[in-house]
Structure formats: structure tokens, C-alpha cells
mmCIF file of all heavy atoms in Angstrom:
data_model
loop_
_atom_site.group_PDB
_atom_site.id
_atom_site.type_symbol
_atom_site.label_atom_id
_atom_site.label_comp_id
_atom_site.label_asym_id
_atom_site.label_seq_id
_atom_site.Cartn_x
_atom_site.Cartn_y
_atom_site.Cartn_z
ATOM 1 N N ARG A 584 48.751 119.835 11.971
ATOM 2 C CA ARG A 584 49.548 119.064 12.944
ATOM 3 C C ARG A 584 50.619 119.942 13.557
ATOM 4 O O ARG A 584 50.846 119.861 14.802
ATOM 5 C CB ARG A 584 50.177 117.867 12.193
ATOM 6 C CG ARG A 584 49.207 116.879 11.649
ATOM 7 C CD ARG A 584 49.956 115.706 11.020
ATOM 8 N NE ARG A 584 49.091 114.870 10.218
ATOM 9 C CZ ARG A 584 49.517 113.767 9.583
ATOM 10 N NH1 ARG A 584 50.790 113.387 9.660
ATOM 11 N NH2 ARG A 584 48.659 113.038 8.872
ATOM 12 N N ARG A 585 51.260 120.750 12.743
ATOM 13 C CA ARG A 585 52.309 121.657 13.260
ATOM 14 C C ARG A 585 51.750 122.529 14.383
ATOM 15 O O ARG A 585 52.349 122.652 15.471
ATOM 16 C CB ARG A 585 52.869 122.510 12.142
ATOM 17 C CG ARG A 585 53.869 123.523 12.601
ATOM 18 C CD ARG A 585 54.091 124.659 11.612
ATOM 19 N NE ARG A 585 52.907 125.514 11.517
ATOM 20 C CZ ARG A 585 52.912 126.743 10.940
ATOM 21 N NH1 ARG A 585 54.023 127.193 10.419
ATOM 22 N NH2 ARG A 585 51.821 127.474 10.891
ATOM 23 N N ASP A 586 50.638 123.162 14.106
ATOM 24 C CA ASP A 586 50.064 124.109 15.056
ATOM 25 C C ASP A 586 49.706 123.423 16.341
ATOM 26 O O ASP A 586 49.890 123.956 17.447
ATOM 27 C CB ASP A 586 48.838 124.825 14.464
ATOM 28 C CG ASP A 586 49.211 125.724 13.297
ATOM 29 O OD1 ASP A 586 50.432 126.008 13.122
ATOM 30 O OD2 ASP A 586 48.311 126.127 12.542
ATOM 31 N N ARG A 587 49.159 122.202 16.293
ATOM 32 C CA ARG A 587 48.814 121.474 17.440
ATOM 33 C C ARG A 587 50.051 121.097 18.273
ATOM 34 O O ARG A 587 50.083 121.279 19.520
ATOM 35 C CB ARG A 587 48.052 120.174 17.046
ATOM 36 C CG ARG A 587 47.888 119.149 18.179
ATOM 37 C CD ARG A 587 47.121 119.692 19.366
ATOM 38 N NE ARG A 587 47.054 118.726 20.437
ATOM 39 C CZ ARG A 587 47.041 119.055 21.731
ATOM 40 N NH1 ARG A 587 47.066 120.326 22.108
ATOM 41 N NH2 ARG A 587 47.007 118.079 22.673
ATOM 42 N N VAL A 588 51.102 120.642 17.628
ATOM 43 C CA VAL A 588 52.315 120.231 18.332
ATOM 44 C C VAL A 588 52.987 121.443 18.986
ATOM 45 O O VAL A 588 53.388 121.331 20.107
ATOM 46 C CB VAL A 588 53.283 119.540 17.338
ATOM 47 C CG1 VAL A 588 54.646 119.322 17.968
ATOM 48 C CG2 VAL A 588 52.686 118.165 16.899
ATOM 49 N N VAL A 589 53.083 122.518 18.269
ATOM 50 C CA VAL A 589 53.731 123.721 18.783
ATOM 51 C C VAL A 589 52.987 124.198 20.035
ATOM 52 O O VAL A 589 53.602 124.528 21.069
ATOM 53 C CB VAL A 589 53.820 124.826 17.731
ATOM 54 C CG1 VAL A 589 54.247 126.168 18.350
ATOM 55 C CG2 VAL A 589 54.819 124.401 16.637
ATOM 56 N N ALA A 590 51.663 124.292 19.965
ATOM 57 C CA ALA A 590 50.880 124.773 21.101
ATOM 58 C C ALA A 590 51.055 123.841 22.294
ATOM 59 O O ALA A 590 51.225 124.305 23.436
ATOM 60 C CB ALA A 590 49.410 124.859 20.708
ATOM 61 N N ALA A 591 51.026 122.540 22.084
ATOM 62 C CA ALA A 591 51.118 121.594 23.202
ATOM 63 C C ALA A 591 52.497 121.624 23.826
ATOM 64 O O ALA A 591 52.620 121.580 25.070
ATOM 65 C CB ALA A 591 50.825 120.174 22.666
ATOM 66 N N LEU A 592 53.541 121.725 23.044
ATOM 67 C CA LEU A 592 54.889 121.771 23.620
ATOM 68 C C LEU A 592 55.125 123.056 24.412
ATOM 69 O O LEU A 592 55.782 123.033 25.445
ATOM 70 C CB LEU A 592 55.927 121.578 22.515
ATOM 71 C CG LEU A 592 56.021 120.192 21.872
ATOM 72 C CD1 LEU A 592 57.027 120.162 20.743
ATOM 73 C CD2 LEU A 592 56.373 119.111 22.931
ATOM 74 N N ASN A 593 54.661 124.144 23.876
ATOM 75 C CA ASN A 593 54.847 125.431 24.578
ATOM 76 C C ASN A 593 54.059 125.483 25.898
ATOM 77 O O ASN A 593 54.340 126.351 26.703
ATOM 78 C CB ASN A 593 54.480 126.606 23.678
ATOM 79 C CG ASN A 593 55.570 126.942 22.698
ATOM 80 O OD1 ASN A 593 56.772 126.889 23.051
ATOM 81 N ND2 ASN A 593 55.186 127.306 21.476
ATOM 82 N N ALA A 594 53.106 124.607 26.058
ATOM 83 C CA ALA A 594 52.333 124.539 27.330
ATOM 84 C C ALA A 594 53.063 123.740 28.387
ATOM 85 O O ALA A 594 52.598 123.693 29.553
ATOM 86 C CB ALA A 594 50.962 123.954 27.043
ATOM 87 N N ILE A 595 54.163 123.117 28.037
ATOM 88 C CA ILE A 595 54.935 122.309 28.980
ATOM 89 C C ILE A 595 56.043 123.162 29.617
ATOM 90 O O ILE A 595 56.820 123.806 28.897
ATOM 91 C CB ILE A 595 55.544 121.072 28.291
ATOM 92 C CG1 ILE A 595 54.412 120.185 27.708
ATOM 93 C CG2 ILE A 595 56.393 120.277 29.251
ATOM 94 C CD1 ILE A 595 54.923 119.020 26.901
ATOM 95 N N ASP A 596 56.105 123.182 30.924
ATOM 96 C CA ASP A 596 57.082 124.005 31.600
ATOM 97 C C ASP A 596 58.509 123.519 31.265
ATOM 98 O O ASP A 596 58.824 122.327 31.366
ATOM 99 C CB ASP A 596 56.862 123.852 33.121
ATOM 100 C CG ASP A 596 57.735 124.855 33.936
ATOM 101 O OD1 ASP A 596 58.105 125.859 33.376
ATOM 102 O OD2 ASP A 596 57.996 124.538 35.118
ATOM 103 N N GLY A 597 59.331 124.480 30.830
ATOM 104 C CA GLY A 597 60.731 124.130 30.527
ATOM 105 C C GLY A 597 60.978 123.883 29.073
ATOM 106 O O GLY A 597 62.149 123.582 28.696
ATOM 107 N N ILE A 598 59.936 123.961 28.217
ATOM 108 C CA ILE A 598 60.124 123.709 26.795
ATOM 109 C C ILE A 598 59.688 124.947 26.000
ATOM 110 O O ILE A 598 58.598 125.504 26.297
ATOM 111 C CB ILE A 598 59.316 122.482 26.322
ATOM 112 C CG1 ILE A 598 59.865 121.195 26.927
ATOM 113 C CG2 ILE A 598 59.321 122.331 24.811
ATOM 114 C CD1 ILE A 598 59.167 119.904 26.601
ATOM 115 N N ARG A 599 60.489 125.366 25.073
ATOM 116 C CA ARG A 599 60.162 126.493 24.215
ATOM 117 C C ARG A 599 60.234 125.996 22.771
ATOM 118 O O ARG A 599 61.251 125.467 22.321
ATOM 119 C CB ARG A 599 61.139 127.665 24.402
ATOM 120 C CG ARG A 599 61.051 128.300 25.788
ATOM 121 C CD ARG A 599 61.972 129.506 25.835
ATOM 122 N NE ARG A 599 63.357 129.167 25.607
ATOM 123 C CZ ARG A 599 64.226 129.923 24.906
ATOM 124 N NH1 ARG A 599 63.816 131.054 24.397
ATOM 125 N NH2 ARG A 599 65.470 129.532 24.792
ATOM 126 N N CYS A 600 59.128 126.180 22.032
ATOM 127 C CA CYS A 600 59.063 125.614 20.680
ATOM 128 C C CYS A 600 58.571 126.638 19.686
ATOM 129 O O CYS A 600 57.382 126.982 19.678
ATOM 130 C CB CYS A 600 58.096 124.398 20.693
ATOM 131 S SG CYS A 600 58.035 123.536 19.114
ATOM 132 N N PRO A 601 59.469 127.100 18.788
ATOM 133 C CA PRO A 601 59.030 128.010 17.727
ATOM 134 C C PRO A 601 58.294 127.243 16.671
ATOM 135 O O PRO A 601 58.509 126.017 16.479
ATOM 136 C CB PRO A 601 60.338 128.560 17.202
ATOM 137 C CG PRO A 601 61.340 127.503 17.478
ATOM 138 C CD PRO A 601 60.915 126.847 18.739
ATOM 139 N N ALA A 602 57.399 127.923 15.950
ATOM 140 C CA ALA A 602 56.674 127.288 14.847
ATOM 141 C C ALA A 602 57.557 127.173 13.620
ATOM 142 O O ALA A 602 58.110 128.196 13.181
ATOM 143 C CB ALA A 602 55.429 128.063 14.515
ATOM 144 N N PRO A 603 57.794 126.010 13.068
ATOM 145 C CA PRO A 603 58.656 125.901 11.875
ATOM 146 C C PRO A 603 57.956 126.479 10.655
ATOM 147 O O PRO A 603 56.722 126.457 10.512
ATOM 148 C CB PRO A 603 58.842 124.373 11.723
ATOM 149 C CG PRO A 603 57.589 123.789 12.358
ATOM 150 C CD PRO A 603 57.261 124.693 13.497
ATOM 151 N N ASP A 604 58.793 127.044 9.748
ATOM 152 C CA ASP A 604 58.305 127.632 8.533
ATOM 153 C C ASP A 604 57.992 126.596 7.473
ATOM 154 O O ASP A 604 57.255 126.840 6.525
ATOM 155 C CB ASP A 604 59.323 128.620 7.945
ATOM 156 C CG ASP A 604 59.546 129.820 8.863
ATOM 157 O OD1 ASP A 604 58.587 130.242 9.563
ATOM 158 O OD2 ASP A 604 60.682 130.311 8.882
ATOM 159 N N GLY A 605 58.576 125.367 7.581
ATOM 160 C CA GLY A 605 58.388 124.340 6.626
ATOM 161 C C GLY A 605 58.794 123.004 7.189
ATOM 162 O O GLY A 605 59.129 122.880 8.364
ATOM 163 N N ALA A 606 58.752 121.986 6.334
ATOM 164 C CA ALA A 606 59.032 120.590 6.685
ATOM 165 C C ALA A 606 58.026 120.079 7.669
ATOM 166 O O ALA A 606 56.951 120.676 7.894
ATOM 167 C CB ALA A 606 60.481 120.404 7.186
ATOM 168 N N PHE A 607 58.297 118.918 8.337
ATOM 169 C CA PHE A 607 57.322 118.348 9.283
ATOM 170 C C PHE A 607 58.001 117.955 10.568
ATOM 171 O O PHE A 607 57.787 116.892 11.098
ATOM 172 C CB PHE A 607 56.540 117.200 8.689
ATOM 173 C CG PHE A 607 57.277 116.252 7.792
ATOM 174 C CD1 PHE A 607 58.335 115.512 8.261
ATOM 175 C CD2 PHE A 607 56.870 116.081 6.473
ATOM 176 C CE1 PHE A 607 59.015 114.620 7.449
ATOM 177 C CE2 PHE A 607 57.543 115.192 5.660
ATOM 178 C CZ PHE A 607 58.610 114.439 6.161
ATOM 179 N N TYR A 608 58.842 118.916 11.075
ATOM 180 C CA TYR A 608 59.495 118.698 12.348
ATOM 181 C C TYR A 608 59.373 119.959 13.223
ATOM 182 O O TYR A 608 59.221 121.051 12.677
ATOM 183 C CB TYR A 608 61.001 118.463 12.162
ATOM 184 C CG TYR A 608 61.359 117.431 11.115
ATOM 185 C CD1 TYR A 608 61.755 117.820 9.827
ATOM 186 C CD2 TYR A 608 61.294 116.083 11.412
ATOM 187 C CE1 TYR A 608 62.090 116.900 8.871
ATOM 188 C CE2 TYR A 608 61.629 115.115 10.431
ATOM 189 C CZ TYR A 608 62.020 115.540 9.194
ATOM 190 O OH TYR A 608 62.351 114.616 8.251
ATOM 191 N N VAL A 609 59.458 119.728 14.524
ATOM 192 C CA VAL A 609 59.684 120.870 15.435
ATOM 193 C C VAL A 609 61.026 120.593 16.132
ATOM 194 O O VAL A 609 61.446 119.421 16.295
ATOM 195 C CB VAL A 609 58.580 121.047 16.462
ATOM 196 C CG1 VAL A 609 57.310 121.543 15.780
ATOM 197 C CG2 VAL A 609 58.289 119.755 17.214
ATOM 198 N N PHE A 610 61.678 121.688 16.525
ATOM 199 C CA PHE A 610 62.988 121.559 17.176
ATOM 200 C C PHE A 610 63.026 122.418 18.420
ATOM 201 O O PHE A 610 63.708 123.445 18.489
ATOM 202 C CB PHE A 610 64.042 122.000 16.160
ATOM 203 C CG PHE A 610 65.465 121.548 16.504
ATOM 204 C CD1 PHE A 610 65.812 120.223 16.631
ATOM 205 C CD2 PHE A 610 66.478 122.511 16.674
ATOM 206 C CE1 PHE A 610 67.103 119.797 16.932
ATOM 207 C CE2 PHE A 610 67.762 122.122 16.970
ATOM 208 C CZ PHE A 610 68.081 120.757 17.087
ATOM 209 N N PRO A 611 62.297 121.998 19.436
ATOM 210 C CA PRO A 611 62.147 122.834 20.631
ATOM 211 C C PRO A 611 63.437 122.889 21.478
ATOM 212 O O PRO A 611 64.247 121.921 21.471
ATOM 213 C CB PRO A 611 61.038 122.147 21.443
ATOM 214 C CG PRO A 611 61.118 120.704 20.995
ATOM 215 C CD PRO A 611 61.478 120.759 19.529
ATOM 216 N N ASP A 612 63.572 123.974 22.206
ATOM 217 C CA ASP A 612 64.628 124.136 23.223
ATOM 218 C C ASP A 612 64.101 123.409 24.493
ATOM 219 O O ASP A 612 63.091 123.821 25.022
ATOM 220 C CB ASP A 612 64.865 125.607 23.474
ATOM 221 C CG ASP A 612 66.002 125.884 24.447
ATOM 222 O OD1 ASP A 612 66.247 125.024 25.313
ATOM 223 O OD2 ASP A 612 66.631 126.943 24.328
#
């Protein structure tokens, strides 16, 4: 799920999303 969410968010113009090392959240810029 993490990998899917990170890839999808990074494909959106104006959003930068690092892959989290743990937990089940992303915290994109």
C-alpha cells in the first residue's frame, strides 16, 4: 500500500512524497 500511495502522489504536479520507513502514513510536501 505504501509503495502504491507514494508513486501515485509523486505523479501529481506540486506534490512531493518521500517513502516512509515505517508506520502507515505518508507526509507529502
